RNA sequence: GCCCGGGUAGACGAACUAGGUAAAGUCGCCAGACUUUCAAUCUGGUAUAUGCGGGUUCGAUUCCCGUCCCGGGUACCA
């Protein structure tokens, strides 16, 4: 089995493309086949520099790299369509010779005029067939004269085209609704329709999983393949992604705004936002794939369970809450060592100097609190700081004033100073005794201490944290807090 | 306008493509347990709905007709 992902380098690699790639990858692995990356760069106007690099990088980041592609070896190259121009011209020639295509000299101006008139008459705009039956002599002559021309597919005028989509079944379209689509543009470049069908055949693609936006020209592609007399691949048109509400597609503006909430539909942003490849993969896998149970899956598990019969044709709303869920779940599935190597760069980038033993020590304290990897800053940044800067007001316990809180802090200090070592085991008992003695809520006493030690109201468990921070710094931070409370 | 898809709780999706009890499971949300904050974990709850209206049928998410909504196409873009 051979499958392919054929993006055009015209913009950022997004969720939809990623899922198409994933399904292709899963199918290839499942069947022991090959996953091919082909760059469809025939549209020079929309070409974006660096987009191909981003596609490859995104695939690598996700861990679903292709087996063949422009950056890899392979027996079916070249894998970039602009490097295959000769092939397309030859194949256009074949269709011309078999009368499945014709040369068309109509100017864009004439075509838009025709369209206008058709629309005025409430007809469907389509090519009016002026050049459909030009004699070969005339064609040769006009070409000789240097007239600009394209090659169009000669769509049968009668009958209908039946195409089989694996997810939807038979899709029947009457040929009179189909157009004489352009195959070769006047600049010599092929259109998608020619290039993709030719390449899929030459690259021996057996299954085409592509976006549902191709459904409209699906009959055309089937027609082209039949005109060549080739075997068809199995087709599956994957549903589109909708905005979170499930109503309508996400606009460019909405996509840009998602970033402000820490979300993105672009794979290149995922790492920076603290998402893991495992989480993202699991998330997109389940948009359009009905998995009955145990839906937390590793890539290997997905390969094992993937089945194109379980794919759904209906559109799926993008649900970022679910991404958070899968991300957190996969973070907790990581080994402590693996998690450490992933968050270490985040601390370093934030300017902390990180020693590995402290890092390993805090992993058990923060791992189940992380939704995204960069949450490690919020939950564990204070471990690596020389000193913390509590917000004065936050040091004041509930239902108490600054003086009262300072008083408690002093009592805490006294207790901690008597301890030769501050550990979970040694500190908990005396501090709880203090809570009893003052008849306060644990929350009040520990709250003061928490803010003093960590500089924040929400943190990993207190006693374990103090143990890691060490006696010296703990005492210093408590004294500092007492000072702050005294100045309020 | 026309053509082609899609429409099951707030979201994803089950109910195997011969019409036979519709909503399993996941996320979210709410509550409880645990508790030192936040989580994690466990338990319970939440949502009466097959877009809508007809028809065929003993019986319709499934078949037929009409209609609405969403998406794609209607390009020398992919």
């Amino acid at each position: 089995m051979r499958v392919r992902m054929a993006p055009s380098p015209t913009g950022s690699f997004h969720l939809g493309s990623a899922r198409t790639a994933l399904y292709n990858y899963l199918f290839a692995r499942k069947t022991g086949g090959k996953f091919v990356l082909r760059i469809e760069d025939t549209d020079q106007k929309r070409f974006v520099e660096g987009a191909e690099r981003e596609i490859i990088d995104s695939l690598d980041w996700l861990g679903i790299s292709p087996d063949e592609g422009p950056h890899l070896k392979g027996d079916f190259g070249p894998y970039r369509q602009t490097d295959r121009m000769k092939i397309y011209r030859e194949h256009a020639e074949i269709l011309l010779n078999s009368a499945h295509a014709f040369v068309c000299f109509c100017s864009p101006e004439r075509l838009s005029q025709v369209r206008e008139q058709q629309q005025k008459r409430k007809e469907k705009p389509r090519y009016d067939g002026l050049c459909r039956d030009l004699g070969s002599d005339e064609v040769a002559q006009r070409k000789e004269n240097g007239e600009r021309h394209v090659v169009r597919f000669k769509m049968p005028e009668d009958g209908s085209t039946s195409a089989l989509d694996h997810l939807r079944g038979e899709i029947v379209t009457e040929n009179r609704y189909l157009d004489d689509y352009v195959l070769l543009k006047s600049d010599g470049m092929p259109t998608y329709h020619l290039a993709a069908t030719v390449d899929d055949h030459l690259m021996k693609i057996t299954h085409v999983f592509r976006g549902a936006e191709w459904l409209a020209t699906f009959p055309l592609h089937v027609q082209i393949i039949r005109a060549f007399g080739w075997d068809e691949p199995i087709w599956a048109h994957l549903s589109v992604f909708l905005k979170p509400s499930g109503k309508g597609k996400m606009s460019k503006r909405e996509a840009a705004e998602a970033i402000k909430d820490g979300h993105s539909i672009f794979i290149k942003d995922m790492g920076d936002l603290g998402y893991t490849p495992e989480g993202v993969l699991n998330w997109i896998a389940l948009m359009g794939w009905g998995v009955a149970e145990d839906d937390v899956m590793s890539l290997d598990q997905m390969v094992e369970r993937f089945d194109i019969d379980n794919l759904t044709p209906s559109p799926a709303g993008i649900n970022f809450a679910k991404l958070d869920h899968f991300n957190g779940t996969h973070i907790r599935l990581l080994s402590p060592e693996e998690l450490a190597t992933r968050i270490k760069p985040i601390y370093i980038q934030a300017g902390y100097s990180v020693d590995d033993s402290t890092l390993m020590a805090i992993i058990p304290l923060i791992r189940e609190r992380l939704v995204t990897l960069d949450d490690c800053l919020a939950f564990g940044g204070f471990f690596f700081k020389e000193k913390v800067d509590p917000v004065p007001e936050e040091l004041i316990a509930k239902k108490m004033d600054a003086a009262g809180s300072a008083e408690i802090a002093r009592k805490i200090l006294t207790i901690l100073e008597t301890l030769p070592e501050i550990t979970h085991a040694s500190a908990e008992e005396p501090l709880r005794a203090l809570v009893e003695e003052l008849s306060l809520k644990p929350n009040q006493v520990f709250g003061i201490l928490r803010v003093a030690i960590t500089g924040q109201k929400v943190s990993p468990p207190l006693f374990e944290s103090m143990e890691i921070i060490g006696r010296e710094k703990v005492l210093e931070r408590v004294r500092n807090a007492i000072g702050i409370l005294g100045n309020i």
Side-chain angles (χ1 to χ4, degrees):
Chain A
M1 303 290 119
R2 290 174 57 80
V3 293
R4 77 348 186 241
M5 152 100 198
S8 44
T10 53
S12 275
F13 194 74
H14 55 79
L15 257 29
S17 316
R19 189 196 51 179
T20 301
L22 207 216
Y23 288 172
N24 274 291
Y25 175 91
L26 294 177
F27 186 79
R29 286 294 155 280
K30 174 108 186 174
T31 60
K34 294 287 186 216
F35 172 37
V36 178
L37 174 67
R38 184 175 70 224
I39 301 294
E40 312 226 322
D41 55 350
T42 54
D43 185 354
Q44 306 192 305
K45 287 184 217 87
R46 293 204 306 153
F47 181 83
V48 172
E49 194 66 45
E52 179 182 322
R53 186 74 253 162
E54 188 183 325
I55 290 165
I56 292 167
D57 289 346
S58 293
L59 255 19
D60 287 347
W61 183 81
L62 287 167
I64 52 174
S65 307
D67 302 304
E68 298 170 24
H71 58 310
L72 300 163
K73 287 194 205 61
D75 300 332
F76 297 87
Y79 293 93
R80 208 177 279 116
Q81 288 187 328
T82 47
D83 296 332
R84 301 170 64 82
M85 300 307 299
K86 192 166 161 251
I87 296 171
Y88 307 126
R89 274 181 216 131
E90 285 167 4
H91 281 81
E93 202 62 35
I94 292 173
L95 291 181
L96 245 16
N97 291 147
S98 63
H100 285 293
F102 61 93
V103 177
C104 170
F105 295 95
C106 297
S107 67
E109 293 73 36
R110 191 186 97 77
L111 292 174
S112 61
Q113 249 173 45
V114 168
R115 259 195 295 276
E116 241 171 72
Q117 285 165 10
Q118 286 169 330
Q119 272 162 0
K120 246 182 236 163
R121 278 180 267 134
K122 297 253 158 87
E123 289 171 17
K124 43 247 147 214
R126 63 167 283 177
Y127 182 64
D128 65 353
L130 183 70
C131 301
R132 236 175 175 248
D133 299 305
L134 257 31
S136 54
D137 291 343
E138 181 180 350
V139 170
Q141 183 58 245
R142 291 173 73 171
K143 272 188 179 173
E144 189 94 351
N145 296 345
E147 274 192 58
R148 285 181 77 81
H149 58 276
V150 300
V151 174
R152 287 178 181 273
F153 187 73
K154 200 179 234 172
M155 185 62 66
E157 300 187 284
D158 307 314
S160 58
T161 303
S162 169
L164 187 63
D165 176 78
H166 196 264
L167 311 186
R168 289 158 245 261
E170 208 83 30
I171 294 172
V172 181
T173 312
E174 290 184 49
N175 292 152
R176 64 192 169 96
Y177 292 124
L178 267 14
D179 208 346
D180 292 335
Y181 293 91
V182 170
L183 262 20
L184 223 48
K185 307 180 220 174
S186 58
D187 63 358
M189 286 276 185
T191 57
Y192 172 91
H193 315 302
L194 208 224
T197 46
V198 166
D199 286 344
D200 285 343
H201 175 255
L202 261 23
M203 293 181 179
K204 294 196 162 38
I205 300 303
T206 59
H207 295 68
V208 174
F209 305 128
R210 52 158 31 167
E213 65 269 23
W214 294 113
L215 233 28
T217 43
F218 183 25
L220 197 225
H221 302 151
V222 168
Q223 284 278 4
I224 293 175
I225 290 171
R226 290 177 190 165
F228 277 117
W230 295 334
D231 287 333
E232 268 180 66
I234 305 273
W235 309 87
H237 292 86
L238 276 15
S239 64
V240 293
F241 286 163
L242 270 22
K243 63 175 96 174
S245 66
K247 300 247 184 296
K249 247 181 114 177
M250 199 175 247
S251 68
K252 282 218 168 101
R253 201 197 78 239
E254 287 165 322
E257 251 159 44
I259 268 262
K260 290 183 202 147
D261 302 324
H263 298 303
S264 177
I265 62 165
F266 301 114
I267 301 302
K268 70 170 162 54
D269 298 329
M270 293 298 181
D272 292 339
L273 293 172
Y275 290 104
T276 60
E278 292 90 338
V280 174
L281 243 22
N282 204 153
W283 180 49
I284 58 177
L286 261 20
M287 287 194 265
W289 173 15
V291 172
E293 48 197 25
D294 296 329
D295 65 357
V296 174
M297 297 180 282
S298 66
L299 227 203
D300 287 343
Q301 288 168 318
M302 285 185 225
V303 169
E304 203 173 301
R305 299 169 64 178
F306 186 73
D307 185 342
I308 55 173
D309 289 340
N310 293 336
L311 264 26
T312 59
S314 48
I318 296 170
N319 186 341
F320 289 117
K322 201 144 188 170
L323 168 60
D324 285 345
H325 163 255
F326 278 123
N327 204 244
T329 303
H330 276 101
I331 285 175
R332 273 172 258 131
L333 251 23
L334 258 25
S335 71
E337 293 75 17
E338 177 60 25
L339 180 54
T341 68
R342 297 211 199 179
I343 61 177
K344 189 173 179 179
I346 296 174
Y347 282 125
I348 289 171
Q349 201 184 351
Y352 295 108
S353 57
V354 181
D355 67 285
D356 289 338
S357 63
T358 303
L359 183 60
M360 284 308 293
I362 70 168
I363 294 287
L365 299 190
I366 65 170
R367 67 182 297 168
E368 60 234 16
R369 276 162 251 266
L370 305 182
V371 171
T372 56
L373 290 173
D374 53 357
D375 284 343
C376 71
L377 257 22
F379 282 108
F382 63 87
F383 285 111
F384 302 106
K385 286 180 179 165
E386 265 319 299
K387 59 189 289 273
V388 293
D389 303 299
V391 175
E393 289 71 31
E394 291 184 349
L395 280 167
I396 301 170
K398 273 198 191 107
K399 297 181 183 161
M400 297 192 72
D401 58 13
S405 301
E407 185 55 34
I408 295 172
R410 271 190 287 275
K411 286 188 197 296
I412 293 173
L413 181 62
T414 311
I415 291 170
L416 292 178
E417 278 174 331
T418 62
L419 300 174
E421 257 186 300
I422 298 176
T423 65
H424 186 183
S426 71
E428 181 163 13
E429 211 186 300
L431 287 174
R432 284 200 187 278
L434 177 67
V435 172
E436 286 284 313
E437 180 196 324
L438 301 172
S439 3
L440 290 168
K441 293 248 164 66
N443 196 349
Q444 293 174 295
V445 175
F446 296 146
I448 296 172
L449 186 54
R450 180 184 311 283
V451 176
I453 300 295
T454 68
Q456 52 202 50
K457 293 174 84 169
V458 174
S459 81
L462 236 196
F463 301 115
E464 287 92 330
S465 297
M466 290 198 293
E467 184 168 335
I468 292 169
I469 290 168
R471 193 183 126 99
E472 288 297 299
K473 279 192 191 168
V474 166
L475 295 180
E476 193 183 304
R477 290 182 188 186
V478 175
R479 289 191 192 106
N480 177 243
I482 293 170
I484 293 172
L485 282 166
N487 288 335
I488 292 178

